[in-house]
Amino acid sequence: MLRANDEVAAALGELAELMAIAGGDSFRIRAYEKAARAVAEHALDVDTLDEHALTAIPGVGSHIAAKITELRRTGRMSELDDLRAQVPAGLRALLDVPGLGPKRARQVYDELGIASLPELLDALHQERLRGLRGWGATSEENLRRAIAETQQAGARMQLGVAFEVAEELVHELGTLTAVAQAAYAGSLRRMCETIGDIDLLVASTNSKSVMDGLATLPLIAEVRASGHTKAVAVTTKGVRVDLRVVVPEVWGAALAYFTGSKAHNVHLRRIAQRRGLKLSEYGLTSEDNARVVASTTEEEIYAALDMAWVPPTLREDHGEIEAAAEGTLPRLIELKDLHGDLHTHTTLTDGLASLEEMVQAAKARGYRYLGVTDHAPLLYMERMTKEKMLAQREELRALEKRHRGLALLHGSELNIQPDGSLDWDDETLGGFDLLVASVHSHFSMDPEEMTTRLIRAIEHPAVNVIGHPTARSIGHRPPIEFDTRAVFQAAARAGTALEINSFPDRLDLNDELARVAQDLGVVFSIATDAHSVRHLDNIRYGVATAQRGWISPDRVINTWSLPKLHAFLSKGRRLRSHRRAAVKSGPREPG
DNA sequence: GCCGTTTTCGGCCCGACTGTTTTCAGTCG
């Protein structure tokens, strides 16, 4: 969050957007977009690179390298400043509305003087847009709905964003001498998919000193309210932070209280009450506060209520309290259970790291296997060909020889067509070690047809995993609609795993659907869909989502040993060779 | 603006969908 790379990427991205609104050359715009993305995902800190070294980043040439250097040296990028002067700031925000691009943003500005979302809403209300060329009542209605949906989701930030800010804030708080302990709590600690504001908890015997120190932290832009134990602040990125300070003796009680959820807390308090006790952020005590039963650790509090400690990701009052009391909490999947990643991309298609870089990164993570699954030909924009795919396979086999201890699975991410068919012919499909099939187009089909579409892909003998099964994009695109029960049952029957995609804007399957799927006998692949080395870290969000879905490690195929995984992945290929053999030998003679 | 077993110039992400048109512009993945 604090990386110089993010700041540079933000500046380049803004430059690209402003250029698009101003009507700049589309190839030039795309060059800036590409560079922004490459810088954001680049493994090295741009502050450690000189202008020449910057051009080693793919998509960064001499011009952009110079602009990056200018920004890092002076804090400004002159071309960006010029464009900011030309294009009203509010206009850029309009691009966040799905369906509204730079051309139309520019059009409403030029012809109606609209330069902000509120003004756009006014114009919609007055039906002024339908008079413009290319607009009609339907486009007005679509835009109105898109804005409403965006605003509903816009108040919360994605887990990945909140997580990085919170980790950095906790680190910064830890540098204050008055802070004995610091942690994030709330929906973030429960790893919910979106986060409203960041709840921070600090243990200290000197709360005044902590409050004074808060304003001095690099990441804090403004402290809006500050009392004896509670403060509200805003980070430099505009994220709202709630800080609570408690004495170290009540750390556990406060952490449990502020982690929630509300439903979980209410349920716990009811149990305490039945025992003549009182549970608050200050501890589990007797009714009159005279006696403290437990307060310093969460474990003590749960134990005092005769139950096992409940992992934060389960605290939604979805049966975890009963399970904790009966001693039947599931053994949840953890990061260390995973032996590999089964959905990754390279520069062969839209990834930002080469095959070799991805392999090295997987090895550095201690993985035993890595599935490389670049896009398939029917995602036309990626321009995949059979020749490129086969060349990659050769390179991969060669790399495998050089990286003992890391098995490389040559795969592909196929595109599930509207009729459920896939890329490539059966023979070519049979040559892969691993096949992920995903929906990348035609998102709004009739649910019945969508169900048929998915089940056909699931039942294809070569398909091992269905990638991001609902194809949602959090805050942007709703999940595709299908009969979840029918699809999950088909997956369980066919031995096709469903992915828990770890990308913070996907988290797909989500926690609830994963839990339903597990109950129906589905197995899962927790995968990153990494398009860069850094994306491999996103696996923690996939693991957290699986935890929230009560998924146990034995149900996740990438916790399995390589031989067991191989056996699972080869199901389709065995079936096919079986089928070929049957065709060759013909029908058996009766005898 | 970037980049090169097509190249130091001249390409660069193709195809579908939508809503508006009367042959297409804008947006998206």
Side-chain angles (χ1 to χ4, degrees):
Chain A
M1 205 61 208
L2 269 183
R3 292 173 86 227
N5 294 38
D6 293 323
E7 284 171 33
V8 170
L12 293 174
E14 184 181 351
L15 196 57
E17 286 191 347
L18 294 180
M19 242 187 255
I21 296 171
D25 172 64
S26 63
F27 292 115
R28 201 165 163 243
I29 293 164
R30 203 171 301 150
Y32 278 101
E33 283 170 353
K34 192 173 170 230
R37 210 173 133 233
V39 167
E41 304 306 342
H42 196 63
L44 301 175
D45 190 324
V46 290
D47 273 349
T48 66
L49 304 173
D50 63 21
E51 201 168 316
H52 177 70
L54 284 169
T55 61
I57 301 174
V60 176
S62 57
H63 286 82
I64 292 183
K67 287 193 166 69
I68 295 173
T69 309
E70 181 197 359
L71 179 69
R72 299 317 295 166
R73 288 224 182 103
T74 68
R76 318 197 67 86
M77 202 182 272
S78 45
E79 187 172 358
L80 182 56
D81 290 344
D82 292 348
L83 276 165
R84 278 176 177 160
Q86 273 180 50
V87 181
L91 219 46
R92 214 182 132 221
L94 298 188
L95 301 188
D96 290 338
V97 180
L100 188 65
K103 296 275 167 57
R104 294 189 144 186
R106 179 59 187 250
Q107 183 190 21
V108 297
Y109 175 63
D110 281 347
E111 299 184 29
L112 298 173
I114 293 166
S116 70
L117 202 52
E119 286 168 15
L120 183 63
L121 280 168
D122 272 354
L124 277 171
H125 189 64
Q126 295 158 12
E127 303 184 343
R128 280 158 59 207
L129 292 174
R130 61 183 62 178
L132 300 180
R133 181 178 166 75
W135 291 79
T138 312
S139 22
E140 274 189 343
E141 180 49 35
N142 287 346
L143 187 58
R144 208 190 324 268
R145 201 171 37 222
I147 293 173
E149 282 171 9
T150 309
Q151 286 183 327
Q152 256 180 349
R156 298 177 71 80
M157 74 198 111
Q158 284 171 13
L159 174 60
V161 175
F163 198 85
E164 288 189 14
V165 176
E167 273 196 325
E168 186 61 28
L169 278 169
V170 166
H171 170 76
E172 288 184 359
L173 279 168
T175 63
L176 300 176
T177 48
V179 172
Q181 209 166 351
Y184 54 84
S187 52
L188 181 59
R189 186 161 178 249
R190 302 200 311 280
M191 300 292 266
C192 296
E193 60 190 36
T194 60
I195 311 294
D197 46 32
I198 293 176
D199 290 307
L200 294 175
L201 183 65
V202 161
S204 173
T205 50
N206 184 352
S207 73
K208 168 130 189 4
S209 172
V210 175
M211 293 304 178
D212 291 345
L214 177 66
T216 70
L217 300 182
L219 211 50
I220 296 296
E222 180 196 352
V223 176
R224 288 197 180 153
S226 174
H228 187 60
T229 65
K230 193 177 166 180
V232 179
V234 181
T235 71
T236 51
K237 305 275 178 185
V239 177
R240 201 182 112 121
V241 177
D242 283 359
L243 174 72
R244 288 288 296 247
V245 183
V246 298
V247 293
E249 296 75 56
V250 304
W251 173 259
L255 189 58
Y257 183 85
F258 291 114
T259 298
S261 65
K262 196 169 199 170
H264 180 90
N265 285 353
V266 166
H267 195 161
L268 276 188
R269 280 204 294 272
R270 219 167 42 228
I271 289 173
Q273 206 173 30
R274 279 205 296 268
R275 295 167 177 235
L277 299 172
K278 201 175 69 171
L279 181 62
S280 75
E281 62 264 53
Y282 299 110
L284 182 65
T285 61
S286 58
E287 292 274 18
D288 57 1
N289 285 335
R291 189 171 59 92
V292 177
V293 179
S295 68
T296 49
T297 69
E298 285 189 340
E299 286 81 353
E300 282 174 27
I301 291 167
Y302 283 103
L305 295 172
D306 290 320
M307 57 180 81
W309 176 80
V310 178
T313 44
L314 294 188
R315 299 183 194 172
E316 300 291 345
D317 197 25
H318 288 164
E320 74 282 2
I321 290 176
E322 293 82 353
E326 293 161 8
T328 56
L329 277 175
R331 148 83 164 91
L332 289 185
I333 176 113
E334 294 175 55
L335 209 49
K336 63 177 169 57
D337 294 319
L338 298 184
H339 297 318
D341 202 323
L342 298 178
H343 184 171
T344 64
H345 296 270
T346 75
T347 46
L348 188 64
T349 55
D350 57 350
L352 289 156
S354 67
L355 176 61
E356 176 148 26
E357 287 168 327
M358 293 300 280
V359 166
Q360 277 168 354
K363 198 165 185 189
R365 296 185 73 90
Y367 281 157
R368 295 182 197 169
Y369 42 81
L370 173 71
V372 179
T373 54
D374 270 310
H375 288 289
L378 289 172
L379 199 63
Y380 300 101
M381 60 196 251
E382 304 301 350
R383 299 193 300 176
M384 175 58 99
T385 63
K386 191 166 176 181
E387 291 69 33
K388 285 160 102 175
M389 178 276 285
L390 290 173
Q392 183 186 53
R393 182 172 300 162
E394 239 175 80
E395 187 192 352
L396 179 136
R397 300 293 183 228
L399 277 171
E400 192 170 32
K401 291 203 181 93
R402 290 187 5 226
H403 292 273
R404 294 278 171 208
L406 178 69
L408 298 179
L409 305 170
H410 192 232
S412 181
E413 184 181 14
L414 309 173
N415 305 286
I416 306 176
Q417 299 302 102
D419 66 355
S421 63
L422 303 164
D423 311 61
W424 280 319
D425 56 78
D426 277 4
E427 173 125 20
T428 308
L429 290 176
F432 286 103
D433 304 320
L434 159 72
L435 286 169
V436 178
S438 313
V439 169
H440 288 129
S441 64
H442 303 84
F443 299 110
S444 48
M445 280 170 61
D446 170 77
E448 224 170 285
E449 288 172 31
M450 188 66 88
T451 304
T452 308
R453 176 187 185 183
L454 287 173
I455 290 179
R456 187 167 166 213
I458 283 168
E459 291 181 342
H460 192 291
V463 171
N464 305 118
V465 180
I466 300 298
H468 44 75
T470 77
R472 71 164 174 173
S473 171
I474 295 173
H476 192 68
R477 184 180 58 229
I480 57 175
E481 290 178 49
F482 55 87
D483 180 342
T484 49
R485 205 178 164 79
V487 166
F488 294 167
Q489 282 171 336
R493 211 167 41 232
T496 300
L498 298 184
E499 183 175 83
I500 296 178
N501 188 295
S502 307
F503 236 91
D505 61 358
R506 286 199 187 268
L507 300 179
D508 181 13
L509 294 175
N510 71 9
D511 46 6
E512 285 176 31
L513 288 177
R515 190 169 179 184
V516 172
Q518 174 169 256
D519 288 345
L520 291 172
V522 166
V523 294
F524 305 91
S525 163
I526 302 178
T528 58
D529 199 353
H531 285 67
S532 73
V533 167
R534 294 224 306 151
H535 287 163
L536 292 172
D537 284 339
N538 286 341
I539 197 75
R540 58 189 173 195
Y541 307 125
V543 169
T545 301
Q547 287 183 348
R548 292 179 55 80
W550 292 54
I551 306 301
S552 55
D554 56 322
R555 300 296 288 278
V556 177
I557 64 172
N558 47 324
T559 68
W560 295 351
S561 69
L562 188 59
K564 188 174 175 185
L565 179 65
H566 265 315
F568 176 82
L569 295 178
S570 64
K571 61 131 190 187
R573 281 155 274 276
R574 269 209 311 276
L575 277 177
R576 244 191 336 281
S577 50
H578 176 77
R579 202 166 53 191
R580 271 203 299 273
V583 170
K584 265 186 198 162
S585 60
R588 281 189 188 176
E589 298 291 347

